[in-house]
Amino acid sequence: MEESYYTIGMAGHIDHGKTTLTKALTNVDTDRLKEEKERGISITLGYAPIHTQDGTHVSIVDVPGHERFIRQMIAGVAGIDLVVLVIAADEGVMPQTREHIEILEFLGVKHAIIAVTKIDRVEADMLELVSLDIADNLEGTAFEHSEVFYVDSVSGKGIDQLKDQIFRQVNTIENRDRYGSFRMPIDQVFTVQGQGTIIRGTIYEGIVKQASQLTVLPSRKKVRARNIQVHNNDVKDARAGQRTAINLGGIDREEIQRGDVLVTSEHFLVTQTIDVSIRFVKAIRHTLKQRAPVKVHIGTSEVIGKIVFFDRNELTEETEEVLCQIRLDNEVVARRGDRFILRRPTPVETIGGGWVIDPLGEKYRFGIETIEVLEKKKQGSPVDLIVDALSHDGLLSLDQLIQLTSLDKEVVAKLVENDQFISLSSKKYARKKDVEIIKDMLVTELNHYHQAFPMRIGMNKAELIQLVQAHFPKQLVVYTLEEAIAEGIIKKESQFIAVTSFLPHLPEKWAKRMVEIIQTVAADGLSVQKWEDYFIGTPFSQKEVDELKNYLLQTEQAYQLTAELLVDKKAFELAIHTLQQQTGDSFNLKDAKEIWHVSRKYLIPLLELLDQLDLTKRGETKRYWI
């Protein structure tokens, strides 16, 4: 059974029992800071796993409820699949509850469970009033039909029923895209003594593997995933929907911050101008004027910008979507369809939210013509829809494209002939852009490999495919690999792949000492020492000893006599020439021993090597030259 990964947000007003409920469900206390313990409120995001037996993995994000910590709350719910909206029975729906509901709707969260907590503190009449209050406040929202559960986290009343509902509901939610390019917005950055920089976040899409080469956006800093953890457990990989911590190599704590995004692909755009579709809150307290400063929360980033209208100069109340543009002071990572929250910097209030129509907005004139342009962008052309589908899944059949784009079969069949797309022999389609990206990834991975293992002729083909397969479907990776070989970008020798210009060579650090050992082996002729003995008293590690041995064999500078003995190729070829000159069509063991002056320890392996090289054929008492 394929495992599924989901993230649940625990949202609600301050002191309504989110953290206590999380502990009752998971047996994990998510308040870790001293200040949180002292004040009894959550300040940072807290995370806890719920383990199941059916292949479903659930992480709970306990987000702060206090108004001052709304920024952390937005960062926490930005990547969730289901929300548990917590409402205390002794207080009912509060202002923060209503703001959280608005934020959740703006972020496109569609699945919710209502948990009424602290039920042991109130009488039945009060509980009934709270239930009516909840129904009134949820009416007309995306959550008005959500199931309500009545629980007490201290006594445990109703906890099992709530947990069962969580599992039932997440199993109806579609998995996040684990085949798309890896993307993880960062919501926590810290250091651990002796380990370096650690980041945490929820993986939006794709898979990350240990030792993967990654890019931090928007800084474009290159890093490597040294170690990956999911809920404090070391793992080899993590995928879409999982809460993940990654130990990054190649970057200092000061060079990375919350709001940055970790990616593996060039798919993702860094931008400061986004065309957007926004829905505003029902009651904006203060008029929003043209080019007013706004605070944009997208992913886990928080950026100041200006809102630019093209059909009005101010906004006081609007129930329909508004097409406009946001010009940001700093770069963010965004792609079409990404959700965001809009807040006013001062006076502080949530004013709306929406989605990105185009992450690379241009400068437009004020007027209805621009609104029409943005409307077309919002709808998306048929080609845009196909590009968007393939950018998420990498490789799709005609039927899958029809299903994902809702276009007619004839339209899709004609459009995929566009030179933006390629068709594989299996009648599946991909973007040409992705093929070029994969080629770059192949070359990048090979260059890293050559740098790490300069003495090897190349990387094993299966290993290379597996690395890139973490980001693109295997079939597309194999297709691209063969195309890159045909184009001469990379080369293949047996099962090994290398950059065309690469030649195996001794590492600069040890070249001089290694040459000395190679020369010593050559000077010993046929009577060589055990390979390991040549390194006695040298600073070489066992890994370097083995690497040099493989280098000499793969570059055909030496032959393997036995598991312990290596003979220099030129020395052996000279010995063969001498033996051929001093024998006729055949020779026996005694002839070879007298001509080569070697003991039986070397003689038998040397003669067997002649057979392996198809230079001789063994008879009953003699060997015959071929």
Side-chain angles (χ1 to χ4, degrees), residues 311-324:
D311 59 349
R312 68 195 74 198
N313 285 311
E314 63 180 32
L315 185 142
T316 53
E317 185 177 352
E318 182 59 70
T319 57
E320 300 298 320
E321 282 187 305
V322 175
L323 302 180
C324 57

Side-chain angles (χ1 to χ4, degrees), residues 185-450:
I186 296 166
D187 55 46
Q188 290 181 336
V189 184
F190 54 96
T191 57
V192 174
Q193 185 70 30
Q195 295 185 35
T197 305
I198 312 287
I199 58 94
R200 281 201 191 111
T202 298
I203 301 176
Y204 275 24
E205 53 195 316
I207 298 174
V208 62
K209 295 195 174 186
Q210 190 173 355
S212 291
Q213 292 294 318
L214 306 169
T215 303
V216 178
L217 296 178
S219 69
R220 298 176 178 83
K221 179 82 175 177
K222 301 295 182 183
V223 296
R224 179 175 285 269
R226 292 164 57 183
N227 187 48
I228 301 172
Q229 284 193 347
V230 175
H231 293 302
N232 300 316
N233 294 315
D234 290 341
V235 295
K236 292 183 178 179
D237 59 59
R239 57 198 64 209
Q242 286 189 294
R243 280 294 308 172
T244 306
I246 304 177
N247 183 349
L248 297 180
I251 195 166
D252 293 331
R253 166 67 182 86
E254 294 73 23
E255 297 178 277
I256 191 168
Q257 61 186 346
R258 183 173 62 181
D260 288 348
V261 182
L262 207 57
V263 301
T264 54
S265 157
E266 299 301 319
H267 285 165
F268 300 104
L269 299 170
V270 175
T271 180
Q272 286 184 247
T273 305
I274 53 176
D275 294 339
V276 296
S277 173
I278 302 177
R279 284 191 180 274
F280 291 89
V281 296
K282 294 176 182 177
I284 295 179
R285 286 180 281 174
H286 305 276
T287 299
L288 187 65
K289 295 185 179 296
Q290 175 75 292
R291 298 181 181 273
V294 290
K295 189 178 290 185
V296 179
H297 297 266
I298 184 165
T300 57
S301 65
E302 176 187 11
V303 185
I304 296 292
K306 290 191 289 286
I307 190 163
V308 179
F309 297 116
F310 300 105
D311 59 349
R312 68 195 74 198
N313 285 311
E314 63 180 32
L315 185 142
T316 53
E317 185 177 352
E318 182 59 70
T319 57
E320 300 298 320
E321 282 187 305
V322 175
L323 302 180
C324 57
Q325 188 176 83
I326 301 174
R327 297 175 187 171
L328 303 165
D329 292 353
N330 299 104
E331 291 180 317
V332 297
V333 179
R335 69 189 306 172
R336 178 179 167 87
D338 280 357
R339 294 275 180 166
F340 63 88
I341 296 297
L342 208 61
R343 304 193 85 215
R344 194 194 304 268
T346 179
V348 177
E349 63 174 331
T350 299
I351 55 177
W355 61 282
V356 177
I357 297 172
D358 186 349
L360 293 177
E362 304 171 22
K363 287 197 172 182
Y364 310 110
R365 292 179 179 274
F366 185 92
I368 192 63
E369 295 85 0
T370 295
I371 296 299
E372 290 173 354
V373 168
L374 294 178
E375 185 63 43
K376 287 180 180 177
K377 280 191 178 187
K378 176 186 168 186
Q379 299 301 326
S381 70
V383 170
D384 290 337
L385 295 174
I386 293 173
V387 167
D388 192 53
L390 289 174
S391 69
H392 279 79
D393 293 285
L395 190 65
L396 294 168
S397 67
L398 195 64
D399 288 342
Q400 288 171 318
L401 283 170
I402 293 166
Q403 183 181 22
L404 290 169
T405 62
S406 300
L407 297 171
D408 291 337
K409 182 176 181 180
E410 294 75 15
V411 173
V412 176
K414 184 176 181 180
L415 289 175
V416 290
E417 295 176 7
N418 185 302
D419 60 8
Q420 292 186 58
F421 311 113
I422 59 161
S423 173
L424 276 63
S425 57
S426 59
K427 292 298 179 185
K428 288 189 174 182
Y429 299 90
R431 302 190 306 168
K432 277 188 178 178
K433 179 180 178 181
D434 285 342
V435 172
E436 295 308 311
I437 289 170
I438 294 171
K439 286 177 187 176
D440 288 343
M441 290 179 70
L442 291 169
V443 171
T444 299
E445 291 294 346
L446 287 171
N447 280 329
H448 284 304
Y449 189 85
H450 295 329

Side-chain angles (χ1 to χ4, degrees), residues 45-63:
L45 304 175
Y47 304 94
I50 301 182
H51 302 290
T52 71
Q53 301 297 319
D54 64 351
T56 301
H57 299 261
V58 177
S59 295
I60 290 184
V61 182
D62 176 16
V63 299

